[in-house]
Amino acid sequence: MKKTILIFGLLILALLLLFQFSKYAVISGDLDSEFAIAIIAVVFFFVGVYLNKKSLQKQQTASEVINHQKIKDLDISKREYEVLVGISEGLSNKEIGEKLFVSESTIKTHVSNLLSKLNAKRRTQALQIAKDLNII
Amino acid sequence: MKKTILIFGLLILALLLLFQFSKYAVISGDLDSEFAIAIIAVVFFFVGVYLNKKSLQKQQTASEVINHQKIKDLDISKREYEVLVGISEGLSNKEIGEKLFVSESTIKTHVSNLLSKLNAKRRTQALQIAKDLNII
DNA sequence: AGTGGTTTGGTACTTTAGTATGACCTATTT
DNA sequence: AAATAGGTCATACTAAAGTACCAAACCACT
C-alpha cells in the first residue's frame, strides 16, 4: 500500500514535470506545439493502460495466485503437495506413483494424510477445497 | 472482430476531431492552451484505461465463460451435466443421488456415460478435461 | 549420536467408483 | 403406431480408492 502511494506520487510529479517542460520548450521555440501535445497524449494513454493493468492485477491475485502460506498452515509437505497436483491432473494413485517414481502404497499414504489435512472425504472434495483455499 | 475494428476507427476519428477542435479553439482564443492540453491528457488517459480493460476482458472470457456449444457437441444431456457439477463439488455418487432425488444406481449410469463422452477414465480426469474444454 | 519430521512401503481390510447388461417408463419425433 | 432418446433403477461384477497400522530408511539439526 505504501509502495503504491509512493509510485503514484512519483508518477504525478513526473507528469507535471513533463507538462512544464513541454510548455517551456514550446515557448522557447525548441519544440513544435502539436508535437508536444502528441507526446502528452501518448504518455497519458500509456499511464492509463499501466494503472488499469495494475488495479486489475490486484483483483486477480486474490483469486488466482496460489497461497503458499495456506499450504504451510495446513502442514502439507512438498511430497503431499505433488500428490495433490497429480490428483488435480486427473491421475490415478498408480499413475501418480509412476510419475513420482514411488509405489502406489506410498501415494495412498500421502492421499490419506492429504485428505485428513484438507478435511475432505474424497479426492474430488479435496480438489474443491484446495481450489477454494487457492492452494492449487 | 469487425465490431472491434469499427470501434477503433470511430475512436481514432473522435480523437483527431478533439485534437483539431482544441487547436482551433486555442488559436481563436476561446480556450486556454493549458486547459486544452489537460483535456487531451485526461481523455487519452481514459482511452488507455478503456482499451486495456477491453483487451483484458477478452482474455478472460475465453477461459472463464462456460462453453454451452461444446456441451451439445459432446452429446452431454442436462441430467448428465448436473451430475458433472455434483462431481466438481466433490460429492460422492450417493450424495449426488440425494441431491437430485434419484438412486445411486442412476448416478452411476450417468457417471459412466459421462466418462465415455468426455473420454475419461476417472471422475477426477473428467473434471480436468471439463475444465480444459470450459464446460465447467 | 539421538530426535523429529518426512518419505517410503507393506498388509489387510472396507468403502466407493466404475462397467456391463437388461429392464421399464415417458416424452418426442417420424 | 412405432421408433427414438433420455431418464430411471437393479444386479453382479471388477477395479480403484481410502483407512488403519506398522515399520524402516532418510535427512536436518542440535
Side-chain angles (χ1 to χ4, degrees):
Chain A
M1 274 302 146
K2 286 174 183 172
K3 206 172 164 185
T4 306
I5 293 170
L6 190 69
I7 290 174
F8 264 67
L10 287 175
L11 202 62
I12 291 168
L13 196 68
L15 291 173
L16 284 175
L17 283 174
L18 175 68
F19 218 82
Q20 290 304 99
F21 169 75
S22 57
K23 198 169 86 179
Y24 286 112
V26 169
I27 289 170
S28 63
D30 290 347
L31 197 64
D32 185 55
S33 67
E34 286 189 12
F35 190 63
I37 291 171
I39 288 175
I40 288 170
V42 169
V43 167
F44 272 85
F45 173 80
F46 282 107
V47 166
V49 169
Y50 173 78
L51 288 183
N52 190 247
K53 194 164 278 178
K54 275 281 164 188
S55 72
L56 287 180
Q57 255 181 13
K58 259 168 211 154
Q59 286 174 14
Q60 285 190 339
T61 51
S63 66
E64 288 189 11
V65 164
I66 63 171
N67 189 344
H68 297 281
Q69 187 55 46
K70 199 81 197 172
I71 297 173
K72 283 176 195 161
D73 290 349
L74 291 169
D75 267 319
I76 294 175
S77 69
K78 279 148 282 169
R79 211 54 167 167
E80 285 165 351
Y81 187 75
E82 292 179 294
V83 171
L84 181 59
V85 171
I87 291 174
S88 76
E89 289 169 347
L91 303 177
S92 68
N93 289 338
K94 191 189 249 179
E95 288 169 339
I96 297 172
E98 286 165 1
K99 190 183 170 189
L100 301 180
F101 304 106
V102 294
S103 76
E104 192 187 347
S105 293
T106 306
I107 303 300
K108 281 192 175 188
T109 307
H110 287 319
V111 170
S112 206
N113 293 332
L114 208 46
L115 292 183
S116 71
K117 285 177 183 176
L118 284 173
N119 212 10
K121 288 175 189 160
R122 284 165 294 281
R123 45 171 59 207
T124 48
Q125 195 180 6
L127 286 181
Q128 191 255 314
I129 293 171
K131 263 163 223 146
D132 240 55
L133 299 175
N134 293 320
I135 65 179
I136 209 171
Chain B
M1 275 303 144
K2 284 174 184 172
K3 206 171 165 185
T4 307
I5 293 171
L6 190 68
I7 290 173
F8 264 67
L10 287 174
L11 202 62
I12 292 169
L13 197 67
L15 291 172
L16 284 176
L17 284 174
L18 175 69
F19 218 84
Q20 290 302 102
F21 169 75
S22 59
K23 198 168 84 178
Y24 287 112
V26 169
I27 288 171
S28 63
D30 290 345
L31 197 65
D32 185 55
S33 68
E34 286 189 13
F35 189 63
I37 290 172
I39 288 174
I40 288 170
V42 169
V43 167
F44 272 86
F45 173 80
F46 282 107
V47 167
V49 169
Y50 173 76
L51 289 183
N52 190 247
K53 193 164 279 178
K54 274 282 166 190
S55 72
L56 287 180
Q57 255 181 13
K58 261 170 208 152
Q59 286 175 15
Q60 285 189 339
T61 52
S63 67
E64 287 187 13
V65 164
I66 65 171
N67 190 343
H68 297 281
Q69 188 53 48
K70 199 81 198 174
I71 298 172
K72 283 176 195 159
D73 291 349
L74 290 169
D75 267 321
I76 294 175
S77 69
K78 279 150 284 169
R79 210 53 167 166
E80 284 164 353
Y81 187 74
E82 291 180 294
V83 171
L84 181 59
V85 171
I87 292 174
S88 76
E89 289 169 347
L91 303 177
S92 68
N93 290 336
K94 190 188 249 177
E95 288 169 338
I96 297 172
E98 285 163 3
K99 189 183 171 189
L100 301 181
F101 303 107
V102 293
S103 77
E104 192 187 345
S105 292
T106 307
I107 304 300
K108 281 191 177 189
T109 306
H110 287 319
V111 170
S112 204
N113 293 332
L114 208 45
L115 293 183
S116 71
K117 285 176 184 178
L118 284 173
N119 212 10
K121 288 175 190 162
R122 284 165 293 282
R123 45 172 58 208
T124 49
Q125 195 180 6
L127 286 181
Q128 191 255 314
I129 292 170
K131 262 163 225 148
D132 241 54
L133 299 174
N134 295 319
I135 64 178
I136 211 173

